[in-house]
Amino acid sequence: MDTPKLEHLPASHTPAGSRQSMLRHSGVVRMTHWVNVLCFSVLLMSGLQIFNAHPRLYWGQYGADADQAFIAIGSKQHGDRLIGFFQIGPLNIETTGVLGVSREGDAVTEKAFPAWLTIPSYHDLGAGRNWHFLFAWLLVINGFVYLAYGLWRGHILRDLLPNRDQLGWRHIWREVTDHARLRFAKGEHARRYNSLQKMSYLLVALVLLPLMVLTGLTMSPGLNAVFPFLPDLFGGRPSARTLHFLTAFSLVLFVVVHVLMVVLSGFWNNLRSMISGRYVIDHSGDAK
Amino acid sequence: MTQRFSRRRILTGLLSGVGVSMMAGCDRLTQSAGFGQVLRHTEKLTMGSQRLLLDRKTLAREYSASDLSPVFRANGTQSPDSEEYARLLEHGFADWRLQVDGLVNQPLSLSLDQLKRLPARSQITRHDCVEGWSAIGQWQGVPLGQILDLARLKPGARYVVFHCADELEVTFDGSGRYYESIDLMDAYHPQTILAYGMNGKALPVAHGAPLRLRVERQLGYKHAKYLMRIEVVSTFDSLWGGRGGYWEDRGYEWYAGI
């Protein structure tokens, strides 16, 4: 299950030998991937519901309305019009319609994130928190399954750690330009992940998701008493809340690029490989 | 080829269908009884694991005077809207009494002066609101454990319920009156105090005068303000919504350690 198996497709399908299929993703990787998709979606949307209860982010040991916010989303009256804004540091951007002020049916509501981005869609902090913690538990359990399997069966070391030949600056630069021209690996090169892929997956699995969990736990007054080093590590609870938000948006950014790459580099082949495990390698370009 | 095409169509249709129905589905799930049950089990899992880690005496961090928030935000009720409270306030709470009853051998009725004569504790702690903001303040008051010892708990006592003067939601049956509850483990925690002082002064009205609860290892809504009566119970099933607090009856967790 954990070593890629090669088998030739029926000859009638394509010229013999030019297309091979391999088992790209093991069952555990596929399962944990889709559980993650579900968890991340619910956690993000219920997280935005929670954020809406106090759409201001601070840095330091305390932070409330009277204190300077580092990031804020809000609304203000401008003549007879309600204006939504997004503020980061000294920068203030008008975001009416999406952030701060949005439309709900015929009504205009003052909400940091609009109803269609939150769980539940209506304002209910208690329900949002319930969703958030249920799926946070699921994410953590899923993460442990993935990491235990990934370390035990060598998936992380074998498939995600860049190989020596992938680490030179020249090689990485070529990958960057190849990506920019939407030229994706073919044939034997498609058998492994490229180094940009490997580094972003490692960043997500070993840095960003654990950081989400840790900054999340740092907001717990109960766990602050047990682990006082947690708020110290992130520079205070309000800072941990800010980092929780910024890390979440780094993950959103990752998902956007990830899905874009999945679509551009062979959508059905990629999607199939994450569902059934089977990935087709096209050797037609190898001769060159 | 056609077979493949239709498979794609089914998958695409499935994906967009999932997206559209997810929002409506989540809202409906939120209000369903079965899912509510799942969520309550999640709360038990969270509480159970925090209690495994939290020792009876593990203290919340205490800060120094230089860490105090310049402005401590007042939340919830800013001033109870009843004639009774207005009268008490007018006389500087001289007529106010804290009732302690329920499963106790010695019901008490304590004046503010009597409370102030008991050994006090002072602490500078961080207040974390469920909404997401935090403020650091200094609190002075009587450890709740002392009061419970004076009243001598009866066998079967499990929870301490705090009945407040403020009505957050105006209702005919009085279910909009604020109340809260904690278990005996939190009640006897050294930092769990009934505070009558804040930042070196008498507790302001906006922060719960004359007396409020501080239960430092939980979120802000547990820290009941405007205390009138403390009731020791074995279960809070018969109180209003049966979930042990004003916000709990409205869908918030009873254990607010996260």
Side-chain angles (χ1 to χ4, degrees), chain A residues 13 19 38 41-42 45 50-51 53-54 56 58 61-67 115-127 129-131 133-135 137 141 216-229 231-232 236-238 241 267-268 271-272 275, chain B residues 4 7-9 11-12 15 22-23 25-31 35 38-39 42-43 45-47 49-50 53-55 58-61 63 66-71 73 126-136 216-219 221 250-253 255-258:
Chain A
H13 207 245
R19 282 165 73 99
L38 174 74
S41 311
V42 173
M45 295 173 78
I50 298 170
F51 175 86
H54 188 74
R56 295 164 60 84
Y58 312 88
Q61 300 294 333
Y62 57 78
D65 301 67
D67 307 306
W116 57 272
L117 270 178
T118 63
I119 293 178
S121 64
Y122 50 88
H123 167 73
D124 187 340
L125 173 59
R129 280 167 51 82
N130 287 336
W131 278 92
F133 298 139
L134 171 61
F135 282 85
W137 272 108
I141 294 166
L217 292 176
T218 304
M219 284 185 261
S220 151
L223 291 181
N224 271 204
V226 190
F227 306 120
F229 62 87
D232 288 343
R237 182 192 193 248
R241 184 167 172 264
F267 181 56
W268 293 105
L271 192 63
R272 189 199 317 105
I275 293 171
Chain B
R4 245 173 151 215
R7 213 198 300 163
R8 283 178 194 192
R9 268 220 331 220
L11 203 56
T12 317
L15 284 175
M22 195 167 148
M23 224 171 87
C26 285
D27 286 354
R28 216 172 316 144
L29 258 180
T30 306
Q31 288 147 8
F35 192 66
V38 173
L39 295 176
T42 313
E43 184 190 336
L45 181 62
T46 305
M47 180 176 168
S49 42
Q50 285 209 7
L53 295 165
L54 274 174
D55 186 75
T58 311
L59 296 183
R61 159 149 317 163
Y63 296 81
S66 60
D67 299 318
L68 288 173
S69 288
V71 179
R73 173 176 159 173
R126 197 189 64 225
H127 180 92
D128 297 328
C129 177
V130 66
E131 293 173 349
W133 53 269
S134 301
I136 297 176
E216 303 293 355
R217 300 182 302 182
Q218 296 204 46
L219 294 175
Y221 65 88
R250 287 155 182 80
Y252 286 73
E253 297 96 340
Y255 181 73
I258 190 159

Side-chain angles (χ1 to χ4, degrees), chain A residues 9-281:
Chain A
L9 282 177
S12 62
H13 207 245
T14 45
S18 75
R19 282 165 73 99
Q20 276 184 314
S21 91
M22 66 181 278
L23 184 74
R24 165 144 260 184
H25 305 296
S26 67
V28 174
V29 167
R30 280 178 271 144
M31 188 197 70
T32 51
H33 172 268
W34 291 113
V35 172
N36 248 3
V37 170
L38 174 74
C39 288
F40 183 68
S41 311
V42 173
L43 283 165
L44 179 72
M45 295 173 78
S46 55
L48 296 181
Q49 165 79 240
I50 298 170
F51 175 86
N52 275 1
H54 188 74
R56 295 164 60 84
L57 297 168
Y58 312 88
W59 197 264
Q61 300 294 333
Y62 57 78
D65 301 67
D67 307 306
Q68 182 65 44
F70 162 59
I71 291 177
I73 298 176
S75 59
K76 57 186 173 208
Q77 198 71 37
H78 195 266
D80 56 349
R81 220 161 65 87
L82 209 52
I83 285 180
F85 67 84
F86 174 83
Q87 175 238 312
I88 177 162
L91 205 69
N92 197 303
I93 308 157
E94 198 196 314
T95 50
T96 314
V98 188
L99 302 179
V101 173
S102 49
R103 208 159 252 295
E104 251 169 75
D106 295 328
V108 171
T109 54
E110 290 173 84
K111 262 185 186 179
F113 285 96
W116 57 272
L117 270 178
T118 63
I119 293 178
S121 64
Y122 50 88
H123 167 73
D124 187 340
L125 173 59
R129 280 167 51 82
N130 287 336
W131 278 92
H132 205 69
F133 298 139
L134 171 61
F135 282 85
W137 272 108
L138 195 57
L139 179 91
V140 168
I141 294 166
N142 193 52
F144 274 121
V145 169
Y146 172 82
L147 289 178
Y149 168 85
L151 291 171
W152 176 48
R153 301 308 286 264
H155 160 66
I156 291 173
L157 291 177
R158 186 188 55 232
D159 303 328
L160 294 188
L161 215 60
N163 302 101
R164 198 169 282 274
D165 66 296
Q166 287 179 312
L167 278 174
W169 287 114
R170 193 187 296 261
H171 178 92
I172 292 175
W173 179 246
R174 209 189 59 229
E175 280 191 15
V176 170
T177 53
D178 278 353
H179 273 82
R181 291 181 203 148
L182 302 182
R183 283 209 320 228
F184 298 103
K186 277 185 161 183
E188 284 306 305
H189 295 298
R191 227 169 250 290
R192 59 174 183 178
Y193 294 140
N194 61 62
S195 55
L196 297 183
Q197 248 180 318
K198 288 181 172 182
M199 285 186 284
S200 41
Y201 296 162
L202 280 177
L203 183 72
V204 167
L206 301 184
V207 180
L208 295 183
L209 287 173
L211 197 60
M212 274 324 286
V213 175
L214 283 179
T215 50
L217 292 176
T218 304
M219 284 185 261
S220 151
L223 291 181
N224 271 204
V226 190
F227 306 120
F229 62 87
L230 275 179
D232 288 343
L233 182 65
F234 298 114
R237 182 192 193 248
S239 314
R241 184 167 172 264
T242 301
L243 287 171
H244 196 67
F245 186 87
L246 294 179
T247 310
F249 274 87
S250 311
L251 284 167
V252 170
L253 201 66
F254 163 79
V255 170
V256 168
V257 175
H258 177 61
V259 171
L260 195 70
M261 287 298 137
V262 165
V263 170
L264 292 175
S265 67
F267 181 56
W268 293 105
N269 198 18
N270 287 325
L271 192 63
R272 189 199 317 105
S273 75
M274 202 36 103
I275 293 171
S276 71
R278 200 165 64 92
Y279 185 74
V280 171
I281 294 194

